[in-house]
Amino acid sequence: MPPCLTQATPYKGFFALILIFVALEYFFNTVSDTKNAIFNSTRPLQYFDKASTSTYGPLLKSLFKNASNLRSLQEIMKSGNISDLHYLVTMPPFIASTILNNNKIMQEENSTKPLCPDISQNLYGRVQIQKYPVPSVGTLENRFASWLQPGGHWKPPNCVVEKKVAIVIPFKCRGEHLLLFLQHMHPFLKRQQLDYTIFVVEQEGDGPFNRAMLMNVGYVEALKLRKFDCFIFHDVDLLPEDDRNLYTCPEQPRHMSVAVDIFKYRLPYPAIFGGVSAISSEHFKLLNGFSNSFWGWGGEDDDMSNRIRYHHLYISRYPITIARYTMLTHKKDSPNPNRYDLLRKGQKKFDQDGLVSLSYELVMSNENLLYTWFLVKLHGPNEDTS
Ligand code: UDP
Ligand code: MN
């Protein structure tokens, strides 16, 4: 046997072994990890570190080398750093095509804009509260015309905000407060670089006011217009004093109006959830919204607080130094004398009384520059709605 052959055979075998070894290692370490990571694009970036010890790990790492400060693959996709075809062609085709496809979808959705930072660079901290003079609608429309979009909507032009925010204001006969609110809030929310829309839900008629039901209506009607991720339920007379108080929905429902001037900037009681509160769309659905049973002043916010506890969620808050508000002056409504009774009985009805039993008629709706307006007739418990 020629010597070259006796030497060549183990040489080939050695290479074959290495190839098999690489293939196996690739299959067990890289494919499963990276494939999962790509299909489950919300996994954090650290996930890729796990793959870095295996064959394609370094390639993926290099691909994402400029994105080390980004949290997830989804963000990387949106950041537009995926154009590096050099790395894509060195990858197994299914990984490359998945990245390219995902990237294409993101690009179509967001036209290659990067994600906005979690915290805007434009914040001031403490802001002035202007109570006088009360501006006219025309003044506000002129002031905001260059950037505000119809329906009281704005989003940053150069970056994408993942979570869309709906601000819902229960409303009846507080025109001056509404104008002061809009004057204050539009620039405030813009500075926070949010993708937001302001909804004013006005109760029609002379019947007792039902704040909670109006908020339920705001939730239902807003979701018919757009997929909102986060709802901020907002008394019209509360103006935030610090723009570090972010109008977003965290993991848990957030009570926002922690320190209000008329309460000497102290939290009145630990379970309070009234004034301004933020709840994710998902949680609001889980909680079955607010109760529809509270007509007149008081109790509906405490019932929501009970719902939150019942569902093993908890109320989160910003520090008292940031979550500060000024309340515009108004006459105090006389409290509903039945509210404690309703609160007690409500504990057994969380699943029946709320979004599932909401009954109203949308009398009118319209998108003006400053807000989206819903005028609604609320159906009371004893009313014939046929
Ligand atoms: N509200 C309203 N018209 C009313 C009563 C209440 O628009 O006649 C709305 C408004 O958004 C207000 C919120 O419901 O800020 C809470 O009512 P109010 O300010 O009277 O409650 P309080 O500040 O006394 O807790
Ligand atoms: Mn008030």
Side-chain angles (χ1 to χ4, degrees), residues 46-66:
Q46 295 89 287
Y47 202 73
F48 288 100
D49 294 341
K50 218 176 152 194
S52 67
T53 50
S54 55
T55 319
Y56 285 93
L59 292 177
L60 280 173
K61 269 210 124 170
S62 339
L63 177 61
F64 300 120
K65 66 182 183 292
N66 297 326

Side-chain angles (χ1 to χ4, degrees), residues 9-216:
T9 308
Y11 187 65
K12 268 189 186 166
F14 176 65
F15 265 104
L17 262 176
I18 286 187
L19 274 174
I20 289 166
F21 176 75
V22 166
L24 280 175
E25 199 240 356
Y26 161 70
F27 183 77
F28 284 115
N29 287 329
T30 318
V31 175
S32 52
D33 284 351
T34 50
K35 202 176 166 189
N36 284 341
I38 281 158
F39 285 115
N40 185 355
S41 59
T42 52
R43 278 170 192 266
L45 187 66
Q46 295 89 287
Y47 202 73
F48 288 100
D49 294 341
K50 218 176 152 194
S52 67
T53 50
S54 55
T55 319
Y56 285 93
L59 292 177
L60 280 173
K61 269 210 124 170
S62 339
L63 177 61
F64 300 120
K65 66 182 183 292
N66 297 326
S68 54
N69 57 342
L70 295 174
R71 274 202 324 266
S72 68
L73 180 58
Q74 201 170 15
E75 287 178 337
I76 293 162
M77 299 291 188
K78 287 183 185 176
S79 76
N81 285 341
I82 304 297
S83 57
D84 198 332
L85 278 172
H86 167 73
Y87 290 111
L88 288 177
V89 292
T90 58
M91 281 181 189
F94 79 87
I95 297 182
S97 70
T98 309
I99 288 180
L100 282 173
N101 280 341
N102 280 1
N103 192 35
K104 202 169 140 234
I105 293 163
M106 298 287 181
Q107 283 186 4
E108 276 164 10
E109 260 178 26
N110 305 319
S111 54
T112 68
K113 287 177 200 166
L115 267 193
C116 296
D118 282 343
I119 299 178
S120 160
Q121 305 289 302
N122 308 334
L123 302 182
Y124 296 161
R126 290 289 163 91
V127 290
Q128 280 283 315
I129 301 289
Q130 208 181 331
K131 295 189 192 177
Y132 310 101
V134 177
S136 68
V137 171
T139 305
L140 293 182
E141 285 183 340
N142 286 340
R143 196 181 297 165
F144 303 143
S146 63
W147 55 269
L148 197 58
Q149 291 165 31
H153 169 66
W154 184 78
K155 63 181 177 188
N158 302 321
C159 58
V160 175
V161 184
E162 239 174 332
K163 309 265 165 132
K164 323 289 178 225
V165 182
I167 319 276
V168 176
I169 303 155
F171 182 82
K172 184 176 162 181
C173 306
R174 299 265 177 109
E176 291 197 349
H177 286 181
L178 180 60
L179 290 165
L180 289 167
F181 177 86
L182 295 165
Q183 164 172 265
H184 187 73
M185 291 311 291
H186 278 302
F188 182 98
L189 298 167
K190 181 175 184 249
R191 273 203 309 285
Q192 294 192 349
Q193 286 214 295
L194 305 175
D195 182 328
Y196 75 89
T197 308
I198 294 185
F199 294 91
V200 175
V201 190
E202 179 169 359
Q203 182 171 335
E204 195 209 40
D206 301 326
F209 193 68
N210 190 325
R211 178 177 175 270
M213 228 172 144
L214 293 173
M215 310 220 263
N216 284 345

Side-chain angles (χ1 to χ4, degrees), residues 235-277:
D235 279 7
V236 73
D237 56 14
L238 286 171
L239 305 183
E241 297 179 9
D242 195 308
D243 63 13
R244 289 170 295 178
N245 182 1
L246 297 182
Y247 275 49
T248 54
C249 287
E251 286 285 303
Q252 293 290 330
R254 177 190 278 152
H255 178 236
M256 315 258 303
S257 47
V258 177
V260 182
D261 60 346
I262 59 150
F263 301 128
K264 299 195 164 61
Y265 293 106
R266 287 192 215 127
L267 192 70
Y269 53 99
I272 193 170
F273 200 63
V276 186
S277 50

Side-chain angles (χ1 to χ4, degrees), residues 300-336:
E300 82 293 342
D301 46 353
D302 294 330
D303 180 85
M304 177 50 96
S305 186
N306 291 342
R307 283 174 191 238
I308 290 170
R309 205 167 336 112
Y310 173 79
H311 284 279
H312 305 292
L313 300 174
Y314 60 85
I315 297 174
S316 62
R317 290 193 176 90
Y318 273 128
I320 207 153
T321 46
I322 287 178
R324 289 165 62 92
Y325 284 79
T326 296
M327 192 187 281
L328 300 169
T329 27
H330 61 79
K331 271 210 324 266
K332 190 153 173 51
D333 265 9
S334 46
N336 171 4

